[in-house]
Amino acid sequence: MTGLEKSEPKVVLFSGSKGGCGCSFITACASAYLAEKTNKNILLLDLNTGKKDSRIIFNVASDDVRDLGDIEDIINELDISILRKLVINFDSSLNLILPSLKMEKNKIFCDKNLETILDVLKNNFDIIFIDFPYCLFAQIKLDFSEYIDKFIIISLADLISVNNLNLLANNICCDSSSYNFDVVINKFNIRPSISPSRLNSILSHPVKAFIPYDRDVEFLFLNRGPFSIFNYNLRIVRNIAELSERIYEDLNYGI
C-alpha cells in the first residue's frame, strides 16, 4: 500500500446506526490492521465516555491512565507536551486516546473543543480514526465538512438498524456538502437479517462491505485484542482487512 503525503493528515469517523452494532469492534480492528501494514502514524480517538471497552481490548489495566477527562480544563492550552502524556503508544504505529470514565467529564463535547483537539492531533498523526457514538451527532459542535475526510457508517442487518442507518446517512448528507462515506453491514449472517439484495433496495446508499460474525474471532478480540485476529485466515478477518485497505486507498486517491 502506498503512503499518504505527510502534509495531508486524514480523519476517519466511524459511527453506528444503533448501540451494539459493532462500531468499536470495526474501528479498533481497522486501526490496528493499518498500523501494522503501513508506516503511518495512526491514532484511535475513542469518544465513548463512561465506557472501558478500549481499556479492556487493548489491555490497559490501570484506571489511572490519563484520558480525555484529564484535559477538559486545559483544552485551549493543548500542545505536544500535554499530548505525550495523554497518548498510549503500542509496538506498532498505533496510538490510543482513551475516553473519560466519568460521565460528568464531557467538556470535550462543548463549544468547539473537539475542533481544537483535532487541530493539534492533525499536526502529529497521519491518520486519525474516531470511534464516534451516533448520539453525538445531535450534541457536538463540529464542522464535519472541514474536519472529517471519510465516514464509515456501521449497521446490523436487521430492519430497525437498517432504517436507522438510512436516517443517519441522510442527516449527515442533509446539506450541500459532499461527504465521502461507506456503509458497512456487520454480523450480516446472524438471523433475523435482511438479505443483501433486499438491503440494497432499502438503503439509500450502497453497501461497501459485509462483515460476518465469528464467535472465535470475538473471543480473540475480547481476550487478546484486535492485533491477534489477523494471525488467522478466516473470512471475517479477510473482510476486515479488505475494508481497511479500501479505506486507506480512498484516503490516498478518493478524496
Side-chain angles (χ1 to χ4, degrees):
M1 290 183 284
T2 57
L4 294 165
E5 292 295 330
K6 183 65 178 178
S7 60
E8 298 181 1
K10 302 294 184 181
V11 180
V12 185
L13 186 149
F14 292 75
S15 193
S17 62
K18 63 189 290 290
C21 67
C23 178
S24 295
F25 169 74
I26 300 295
T27 309
C29 290
S31 58
Y33 178 83
L34 290 180
E36 287 201 327
K37 297 297 182 180
T38 73
N39 61 355
K40 299 296 106 178
N41 199 16
I42 294 174
L43 173 72
L44 171 54
L45 176 62
D46 185 351
L47 297 184
N48 289 281
T49 301
K51 294 186 178 181
K52 299 184 71 172
D53 301 35
S54 292
R55 286 172 167 82
I56 293 171
I57 65 171
F58 287 105
N59 194 29
V60 181
S62 175
D63 289 346
D64 296 329
V65 174
R66 294 177 187 267
D67 57 43
L68 286 170
D70 294 319
I71 64 165
E72 65 173 18
D73 293 324
I74 54 170
I75 288 176
N76 291 325
E77 303 170 19
L78 187 65
D79 58 18
I80 187 61
S81 62
I82 298 174
L83 197 61
R84 287 195 180 108
K85 299 176 182 178
L86 187 66
V87 175
I88 299 171
N89 310 113
F90 297 97
D91 290 338
S92 66
S93 64
L94 181 64
N95 306 272
L96 172 66
I97 294 181
L98 296 168
S100 173
L101 294 177
K102 298 179 179 179
M103 295 295 293
E104 65 271 17
K105 287 194 171 185
N106 57 7
K107 288 185 181 179
I108 184 180
F109 305 126
C110 301
D111 300 321
K112 293 190 175 183
N113 288 342
L114 184 56
E115 292 186 2
T116 300
I117 292 174
L118 286 176
D119 281 333
V120 176
L121 295 178
K122 288 173 72 174
N123 288 328
N124 293 279
F125 297 97
D126 299 312
I127 306 176
I128 301 168
F129 284 173
I130 306 179
D131 186 356
F132 193 92
Y134 72 96
C135 59
L136 292 181
F137 282 108
Q139 301 176 25
I140 205 164
K141 294 181 179 179
L142 178 67
D143 186 345
F144 291 103
S145 62
E146 179 179 350
Y147 282 90
I148 307 302
D149 296 292
K150 188 172 183 65
F151 289 88
I152 307 294
I153 309 299
I154 299 163
S155 173
L156 301 178
D158 63 86
L159 189 60
I160 292 176
S161 298
V162 169
N163 277 279
N164 284 340
L165 187 152
N166 251 348
L167 185 61
L168 178 58
N170 291 337
N171 280 328
I172 291 173
C173 298
C174 65
D175 58 23
S176 59
S177 300
S178 177
Y179 292 118
N180 184 311
F181 71 93
D182 287 348
V183 170
V184 175
I185 301 297
N186 189 33
K187 300 183 180 180
F188 73 91
N189 55 330
I190 292 183
R191 297 179 182 274
S193 62
I194 304 170
S195 68
S197 59
R198 190 179 173 211
L199 276 174
N200 286 323
S201 68
I202 295 174
L203 290 171
S204 305
H205 307 276
V207 178
K208 293 295 182 72
F210 289 91
I211 309 297
Y213 175 73
D214 188 293
R215 185 175 59 182
D216 294 331
V217 168
E218 181 181 60
F219 179 84
L220 277 172
F221 176 81
L222 293 175
N223 289 276
R224 299 183 185 176
F227 295 104
S228 65
I229 74 169
F230 297 106
N231 294 324
Y232 299 88
N233 185 25
L234 300 170
R235 184 182 182 188
I236 179 175
V237 176
R238 294 194 300 270
N239 286 16
I240 293 172
E242 290 170 3
L243 170 64
S244 305
E245 291 172 4
R246 188 179 302 118
I247 292 170
Y248 189 75
E249 290 173 0
D250 286 348
L251 294 178
N252 275 292
Y253 308 114
I255 298 175

